Amino acid sequence: MQLQRNEIMTGLLVIGTIAVVAFLLVLLGAPGLFRPLVTYKVYFDNAAGIKQGAPVMLAGRKIGQVQKLFSPVSPQEEKHAEEADAAIHQADPNAAPSPTATPGKPRFEVSVEVQVDKDAKVYRDAKARLMQLGFLGDMAIDFTQGTEASGRAKDGDIFAGERTPDLGDAAAKMLEVIKPVATEATNTMKDLQQTAQNLNRLTDENSELTLALAQFKTFGEHLSDLTAPDSALTHSLTNIEKISTSLTENIKVTLQNLRSSSEKLKVATTELQPAGENIKQFSETIKTQPWRLIWPSTKKYAEASPTPAPGQGTITVRKSARAKPRRTPTERTSSR
């Protein structure tokens, strides 16, 4: 009896476990079975990495999952997505502009159908982003930045989604940024290589710079020899110094002799002054009275005026009204 009771309890436990597991599987596989869900459509230009069953979040909190993916998008659906995107930008002018479509190519190519909890506060102007969970995690859809004034999103509403740059996109953009830098670095390396080659040519054993340095070294050695204490240049400078000293002394003695000669000449000039006066008088006599060479007595000298004695007045000498004309030597000879 006890054994039968134990078997019954074991069977009930197994059945209960199977029921709980089945309930969990049904709950995970069909979340709308026990709670109300709503369906939204999110359009992307590229849904690479997203798959069915991927999580759908509201500001980082899971509220549903991806149900289906459709591609390509019909023109009518793309038009609806464009209208939804325009409504979002009209409600928020500061929103980042959505990527523009390439001419001749549709802007949205993938439609993702998601189911989320009906009680989740997803607003009509919310932004749907396709993002990666972690560095190497799965892709997920996240609704953010919705405003209550726009109202709650209803079942079947459309959202224009945007893709958050992943590692591949970041690498592509980084390559676009790095490419000009790499090109410039390549050119710089070429210039450096050319500079290194030029330096090798300059520092070669038979280069002009090496030869010039060797000649400069030889010039320095010669200059050192010239300026040595026992060099010919040092002896020449010593002799020049001796000659200049001797020449200075000779010049000094010569200047003293010139000074003495100048003083003597000055004394001789003073002594010759009377002789010069006599010569001057002789010259005047020859010019004015040349006959005096024949008749010396005919020379007439001017009488010196008497000097008045002290205390006496001035003596006035009067001349006759008519001065007798001087006779020439011929007239004097005739009168004789």
Side-chain angles (χ1 to χ4, degrees):
M1 193 72 181
Q2 183 69 26
L3 180 61
Q4 186 179 1
R5 183 181 299 177
N6 291 337
E7 290 178 354
I8 293 172
M9 293 296 295
T10 303
L12 291 175
L13 180 61
V14 172
I15 294 172
T17 304
I18 294 174
V20 171
V21 172
F23 175 78
L24 291 175
L25 292 175
V26 172
L27 181 63
L28 294 175
L33 185 61
F34 298 99
R35 59 177 179 173
L37 300 176
V38 290
T39 303
Y40 302 139
K41 284 189 177 181
V42 186
Y43 292 88
F44 295 98
D45 58 344
N46 185 0
I50 196 70
K51 58 185 178 180
Q52 188 175 359
V56 177
M57 299 181 295
L58 177 62
R61 179 174 58 88
K62 184 177 179 180
I63 60 173
Q65 63 183 9
V66 175
Q67 289 296 319
K68 298 178 182 179
L69 289 86
F70 301 96
S71 180
V73 177
S74 64
Q76 186 177 0
E77 290 180 330
E78 184 178 359
K79 183 178 180 181
H80 292 325
E82 291 281 356
E83 292 175 355
D85 190 23
I88 292 175
H89 285 81
Q90 185 176 3
D92 186 8
N94 297 325
S98 299
T100 57
T102 306
K105 183 179 180 181
R107 175 179 170 185
F108 300 104
E109 296 185 358
V110 180
S111 173
V112 180
E113 185 178 308
V114 299
Q115 285 185 344
V116 300
D117 189 357
K118 187 176 181 180
D119 296 332
K121 295 182 180 180
V122 179
Y123 297 105
R124 298 180 63 186
D125 60 350
K127 292 183 178 179
R129 296 187 305 164
L130 184 62
M131 57 182 295
Q132 187 175 12
L133 299 177
F135 186 70
L136 296 175
D138 295 332
M139 302 299 291
I141 297 175
D142 187 20
F143 289 94
T144 57
Q145 298 179 358
T147 58
E148 188 175 359
S150 63
R152 295 278 293 272
K154 299 179 181 180
D155 187 18
D157 280 352
I158 297 174
F159 294 90
E162 59 183 11
R163 182 182 178 87
T164 302
D166 56 3
L167 184 60
D169 296 335
K173 291 183 178 179
M174 188 176 296
L175 288 176
E176 292 179 359
V177 175
I178 293 176
K179 187 175 180 180
V181 179
T183 304
E184 190 67 24
T186 303
N187 296 332
T188 304
M189 291 300 296
K190 290 181 180 179
D191 295 339
L192 289 176
Q193 185 177 5
Q194 185 68 28
T195 303
Q197 293 177 358
N198 295 335
L199 287 176
N200 289 332
R201 286 197 295 268
L202 286 174
T203 56
D204 189 59
E205 183 178 359
N206 297 322
S207 64
E208 296 180 357
L209 179 62
T210 305
L211 297 176
L213 291 175
Q215 293 178 359
F216 186 76
K217 181 180 179 181
T218 304
F219 173 75
E221 293 176 354
H222 292 167
L223 185 62
S224 178
D225 295 338
L226 285 174
T227 56
D230 298 332
S231 63
L233 180 61
T234 303
H235 290 301
S236 300
L237 293 176
T238 303
N239 294 333
I240 290 174
E241 183 179 3
K242 292 180 180 179
I243 292 172
S244 62
T245 304
S246 177
L247 183 62
T248 303
E249 294 179 355
N250 294 334
I251 291 174
K252 184 177 180 180
V253 173
T254 303
L255 291 175
Q256 290 179 355
N257 295 334
L258 286 175
R259 189 178 297 108
S260 300
S261 301
S262 176
E263 291 177 355
K264 291 180 181 180
L265 182 61
K266 183 177 180 181
V267 172
T269 303
T270 305
E271 293 178 354
L272 290 175
Q273 187 173 3
E277 291 292 336
N278 294 333
I279 293 173
K280 182 178 179 180
Q281 291 179 3
F282 178 75
S283 177
E284 290 179 355
T285 302
I286 291 174
K287 289 179 180 180
T288 57
Q289 299 177 8
W291 58 85
R292 184 170 173 268
L293 296 175
I294 301 173
W295 294 284
S297 58
T298 59
K299 172 83 175 164
K300 293 184 179 182
Y301 297 93
E303 296 180 358
S305 60
T307 304
Q312 293 181 359
T314 303
I315 300 174
T316 304
V317 179
R318 296 182 177 179
K319 295 182 179 181
S320 58
R322 293 184 179 179
K324 294 181 179 181
R326 180 182 295 179
R327 293 184 299 173
T328 63
T330 305
E331 292 177 350
R332 284 198 297 269
T333 303
S334 300
S335 63
R336 289 180 182 177

